[in-house]
Amino acid sequence: KPPFNMKENGNIEIDLRYTTRMIPDPKPRLYTNQLALEAQITTEDAKFISKEKEMYPLAVRISNVLYEQNFVDAAKASLLSFGVGEDKDDKKQVESSEQQKYPILSWIQLAEISHCLMARNLLPLDFISSKDYNDIMNYVAWRWFYILSNADLSKMALKSLIKKIVWNAYSYVEYKEQDGNEEG
């Protein structure tokens, strides 16, 4: 079953709370110090903090638009927290000229919702430009790679995923060799 559902009224309901497909960020974390290390990077790293401050007005503006256009339910959105470095406790308010009317969505939420809307030609381009969309996607990618560039954190976050990929590839090769058909 896909994690989204198109309702009769045209609204798209997206609920990723109960899936294990949001990798490489398992809930709960596989390692107890993973969350602490993520928090350290997102609150103490000068380059990261500078980039967050630069991007913060976009997060406020797009969050406001998604709430006002009824794409997001404020009561439900505030319950969700997912993505490396996106835990609720890590969010801190940054000074901005943008007026904050609603809770600010995480960058992963902004990217997922914007992408789903764009894929269905529902992104309100009067309020969210193609540049905004690309800025969100590029920043989420930068953020993910920047945080996971920490060697210790990347081992914790990716180790089980990599093991599974390698094991599945090995099992496939073994199966093909036993079958006598070495072509994939």
Side-chain angles (χ1 to χ4, degrees), residues 19-98:
T19 181
T20 59
R21 300 294 182 207
M22 291 296 291
I23 53 178
D25 189 37
K27 297 287 184 173
R29 299 296 199 288
L30 297 176
Y31 302 93
T32 55
N33 57 341
Q34 181 179 346
L35 189 56
L37 188 51
E38 289 174 23
Q40 180 183 351
I41 293 167
T42 59
T43 60
E44 297 176 15
D45 183 284
K47 183 176 180 181
F48 185 87
I49 292 168
S50 174
K51 191 73 170 168
E52 282 283 289
K53 285 180 180 179
E54 175 188 334
M55 298 302 292
Y56 185 79
L58 179 65
V60 172
R61 186 169 56 79
I62 301 303
S63 292
N64 287 339
V65 166
L66 293 173
Y67 287 116
E68 289 166 359
Q69 298 297 310
N70 295 313
F71 287 114
V72 177
D73 179 340
K76 292 180 182 176
S78 63
L79 300 174
L80 300 176
S81 174
F82 53 91
V84 170
E86 293 280 10
D87 285 286
K88 286 186 264 187
D89 294 340
D90 293 345
K91 290 182 185 176
K92 61 179 186 175
Q93 303 305 313
V94 178
E95 287 184 31
S96 170
S97 61
E98 289 291 326

Side-chain angles (χ1 to χ4, degrees):
K1 178 181 171 188
F4 61 88
N5 179 357
M6 178 72 91
K7 293 187 172 187
E8 288 180 21
N9 63 3
N11 289 340
I12 301 170
E13 185 175 89
I14 302 169
D15 187 353
L16 295 172
R17 290 177 289 181
Y18 306 107
T19 181
T20 59
R21 300 294 182 207
M22 291 296 291
I23 53 178
D25 189 37
K27 297 287 184 173
R29 299 296 199 288
L30 297 176
Y31 302 93
T32 55
N33 57 341
Q34 181 179 346
L35 189 56
L37 188 51
E38 289 174 23
Q40 180 183 351
I41 293 167
T42 59
T43 60
E44 297 176 15
D45 183 284
K47 183 176 180 181
F48 185 87
I49 292 168
S50 174
K51 191 73 170 168
E52 282 283 289
K53 285 180 180 179
E54 175 188 334
M55 298 302 292
Y56 185 79
L58 179 65
V60 172
R61 186 169 56 79
I62 301 303
S63 292
N64 287 339
V65 166
L66 293 173
Y67 287 116
E68 289 166 359
Q69 298 297 310
N70 295 313
F71 287 114
V72 177
D73 179 340
K76 292 180 182 176
S78 63
L79 300 174
L80 300 176
S81 174
F82 53 91
V84 170
E86 293 280 10
D87 285 286
K88 286 186 264 187
D89 294 340
D90 293 345
K91 290 182 185 176
K92 61 179 186 175
Q93 303 305 313
V94 178
E95 287 184 31
S96 170
S97 61
E98 289 291 326
Q99 185 178 1
Q100 181 182 336
K101 300 176 188 173
Y102 304 97
I104 300 166
L105 297 169
S106 73
W107 284 104
I108 298 294
Q109 287 173 307
L110 290 169
E112 291 287 332
I113 293 166
S114 298
H115 185 73
C116 287
L117 294 172
M118 179 71 92
R120 290 164 182 78
N121 293 320
L122 296 172
L123 190 68
L125 294 173
D126 294 346
F127 304 100
I128 303 173
S129 69
S130 295
K131 181 184 182 318
D132 293 335
Y133 173 81
N134 288 328
D135 287 348
I136 291 167
M137 295 304 155
N138 290 335
Y139 183 61
V140 167
W142 176 87
R143 200 174 192 281
W144 190 84
F145 283 106
Y146 189 84
I147 293 170
L148 287 175
S149 69
N150 178 286
D152 293 331
L153 183 56
S154 65
K155 285 177 194 170
M156 287 184 262
L158 298 170
K159 184 177 178 180
S160 64
L161 171 65
I162 300 301
K163 283 173 119 176
K164 190 173 192 174
I165 291 170
V166 170
W167 175 252
N168 286 340
Y170 176 78
S171 298
Y172 179 79
V173 169
E174 286 289 306
Y175 170 78
K176 286 298 183 181
E177 287 176 353
Q178 289 176 2
D179 192 33
N181 179 9
E182 293 188 23
E183 291 183 30

